[in-house]
């Protein structure tokens, strides 16, 4: 890069080099900065364009400030919490002196557009902490004062846009005219700093994109997500309900349990074929066990506790300590390894009420866990086998996926040398398979690094479900061993593994993946029989009995109404096949068949129908 002999704004230097267009910020020696930052020494300057990942994040952060400025104008006296950029958008938490509703969002948007037209600059202010405290005292913004109080530096950075001033490191777009394509999406309540003991603030969510086309595509995606919302579809298809008497604890109805049981049957057969042994461990275990495992220090705030015979116990948030206790019941030999213990374990985790969301975020769920005890030499082969399982199982449901490798977090327990060995083992397995993966530094579990699998649904959303966690720590903590070929005790390695993740959450994902129109093998009702009138009920029951003996899930429409209404109801229930029974069908010994998407298939014998249904895809016949 050329030498900058005199201080100049970064924007001036870029202009001299003929760089302009979509640039909204720069990197100076690798640090993100505003365009008007003065460069007073030799520096490497890299332009940041608005449609780059860093540029989009800056755009979204700037739009959160734009929204806050609009609220400042419309609702004087508003106090401000935090307003970050997030994936696909931004939000701002505010203490507004009036109650806002969804109907107020267009008014705020209109004010934002006025501010955009004014091209108000984003001004970076650097001042002492004391000066900033005086400023926010004058503005009576108690939340900013609380944030300032926690800052140890003597000097702080603020950004001013119009009348609005915020604590912020930046950078931001040069002025508000750069923000053109935005939309406010929703309102929610949010406790200040996520603590239920603190005041409830108003959180406004929004999104912004570099182009109108990208914004429109995203808004269409949101509408499609609403159409697929598992909470609405679950209610309409009578799969589950959420009750105020048990917040965060879903109630599964008969049809929802049917789907869960099908998933379990599938899960169980795949695991049996790969040499897993299924176990069950208790819901409640001695508190000392959780102290020993490390969960007490790292996970206590998310656990539920009880007392038995005057002694403290904990309701398990994870299944791994129970798996270790099962391992310890026998003296193990190297010939027993790898020992694969699978468990559909019910766990309880305390989630804050504000983050509960249908089946996606609950307080009680069933984890499709497995804990594999191996020698060090077996690690790579076992990880590759798990990756093969992931590929097969996600493929059954039509999910592509991406992989992340997460390494040692700050709160890690155990020696760094063991962590280095574990991370190397996971990395070697990934590279041996030649798969692409993203490195996610510092995001491993407190007891080991992990490979995470992020599946993608039909509208492009990502869900983290599967994980492989390599653990050298718990075998040490619980002093578990196996007898090696040399007759001496050796320490096994523990692999924690889940593929579906939470069965409840996976069901929620499937509901949205299929928009409730489950494939034949998963549908809670595979065939619905529609008698034209009551006089055909007896014949209808006989047909239902024949189909049920063939393990076909059947339901009879016993409601009054026209045939057209019954067909519409069955379509709304997204039943794969409908059988119409009237006088002609009774006389001919046939059934009139309709398929959910293809419509009328004509008349056929019951035997032909059964053969048709047998030809439908079913993974339990394929594995």
């Amino acid at each position: 890069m050329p030498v900058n002999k005199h201080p100049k704004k970064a924007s001036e230097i870029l202009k001299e080099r003929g760089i302009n267009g979509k640039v909204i910020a720069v990197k100076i020696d690798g640090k993100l900065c505003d365009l008007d930052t003065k460069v007073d020494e030799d520096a490497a300057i890299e332009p940041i364009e608005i449609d780059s990942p860093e540029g989009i994040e800056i755009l979204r952060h700037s739009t959160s400030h734009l929204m806050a400025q609009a609220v400042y104008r419309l609702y004087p006296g508003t106090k401000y919490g935090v307003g970050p950029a997030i994936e696909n958008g931004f939000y701002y938490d505010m203490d507004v002196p009036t109650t806002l509703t969804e109907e107020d969002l267009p008014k705020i948007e209109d004010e934002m557009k006025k501010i955009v037209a004014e091209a108000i600059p984003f001004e970076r202010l650097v001042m002492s902490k004391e000066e900033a405290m005086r400023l926010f005292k004058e503005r009576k913004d108690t939340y900013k004062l609380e944030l300032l109080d926690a800052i140890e530096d003597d000097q702080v950075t603020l950004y001013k846009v119009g009348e609005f001033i915020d604590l912020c490191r930046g950078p931001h777009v040069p002025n508000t005219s750069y923000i053109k394509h935005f939309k406010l999406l929703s309102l929610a309540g949010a406790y200040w700093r996520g603590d239920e003991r603190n005041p409830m603030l108003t959180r406004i969510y929004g999104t912004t994109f570099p182009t109108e086309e990208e914004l429109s595509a995203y808004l269409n995606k949101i509408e499609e997500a609403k159409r697929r919302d598992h909470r609405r579809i679950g209610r309409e298809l009578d799969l589950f309900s959420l009750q105020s008497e048990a917040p965060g604890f879903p109630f599964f109805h008969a049809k929802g349990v049917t789907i869960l049981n099908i998933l379990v049957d599938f899960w169980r057969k795949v695991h049996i074929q790969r040499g897993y042994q299924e176990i069950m461990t208790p819901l409640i275990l001695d508190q000392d066990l959780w102290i020993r495992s490390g969960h007490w220090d790292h996970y206590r705030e998310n656990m539920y506790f009880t007392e038995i015979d005057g002694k403290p116990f904990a309701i398990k948030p994870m299944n791994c300590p129970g798996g270790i206790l099962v391992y310890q019941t026998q003296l193990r030999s190297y010939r027993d390894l790898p020992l694969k213990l699978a468990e559909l374990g019910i766990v309880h985790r305390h989630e804050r009420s504000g983050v509960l969301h249908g089946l996606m975020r609950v307080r009680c769920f069933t984890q499709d866990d497995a804990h594999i005890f191996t020698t060090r030499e077996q690690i790579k082969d076992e990880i590759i086998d798990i990756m093969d399982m992931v590929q097969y199982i996600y493929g059954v449901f039509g999910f592509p996926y991406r992989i992340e490798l997460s390494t040692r977090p700050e709160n890690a327990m155990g020696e760094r040398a063991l962590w280095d060995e574990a991370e190397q083992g996971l990395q070697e397995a990934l590279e041996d398979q030649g798969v692409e993966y993203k490195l996610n530094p510092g995001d491993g579990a407190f007891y080991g690094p992990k490979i995470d699998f992020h599946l993608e649904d039909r509208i492009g959303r990502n869900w983290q479900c599967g994980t492989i966690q390599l653990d050298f720590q718990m075998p040490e903590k619980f002093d578990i061993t196996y007898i090696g070929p040399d007759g001496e005790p050796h320490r096994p390695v523990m692999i924690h593994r889940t593929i579906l993740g939470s069965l409840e959450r996976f069901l929620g994902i499937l509901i949205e993946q299929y928009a409730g129109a489950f494939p034949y093998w998963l549908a809670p009702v595979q065939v619905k029989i529609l008698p034209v009138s009551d006089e055909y009920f007896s014949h209808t029951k006989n047909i239902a009995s024949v189909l049920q003996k063939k393990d076909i899930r059947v339901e009879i429409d016993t409601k009054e109404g026209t045939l057209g209404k019954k067909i519409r109801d069955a379509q709304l229930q997204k039943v794969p096949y409908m059988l119409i029974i009237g006088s002609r069908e009774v006389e001919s010994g046939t059934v009139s068949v309709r398929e959910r998407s293809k419509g009328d298939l004509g008349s056929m014998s019951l035997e032909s129908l059964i053969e048709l249904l047998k030809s439908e895809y079913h993974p339990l016949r394929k594995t």
Side-chain angles (χ1 to χ4, degrees), residues 2 59 173 181 213 328 365 420 445 553:
L59 174 67
V173 297
H181 313 291
E213 292 76 16
Q328 288 180 316
F365 57 92
D420 291 343
R553 296 184 291 277

Side-chain angles (χ1 to χ4, degrees), residues 575-588:
V575 179
Y577 287 93
M578 291 152 268
L579 308 183
I580 298 168
I581 307 297
S583 59
R584 185 179 62 184
E585 287 74 27
V586 172
E587 291 170 7
S588 63

Side-chain angles (χ1 to χ4, degrees), residues 138-203:
E138 290 173 7
R139 300 170 78 90
K140 299 179 180 178
D141 201 326
T142 53
Y143 303 105
K144 296 299 177 186
L145 289 170
E146 186 176 330
L147 291 174
L148 270 169
D149 193 51
I151 294 174
E152 295 181 358
D153 296 338
D154 294 330
Q155 201 173 61
V156 295
T157 305
L158 296 84
Y159 274 82
K160 181 176 184 293
V161 55
E163 304 92 331
F164 176 68
I165 301 177
D166 199 4
L167 280 170
C168 184
R169 293 189 182 93
H172 285 283
V173 297
N175 64 66
T176 57
S177 71
Y178 282 72
I179 307 169
K180 294 181 171 65
H181 313 291
F182 57 85
K183 180 72 177 175
L184 300 187
L185 300 173
S186 62
L187 288 170
Y191 290 108
W192 169 236
R193 296 192 140 179
D195 191 331
E196 295 174 4
R197 296 166 296 183
N198 287 337
M200 174 73 79
L201 306 182
T202 298
R203 175 172 293 180

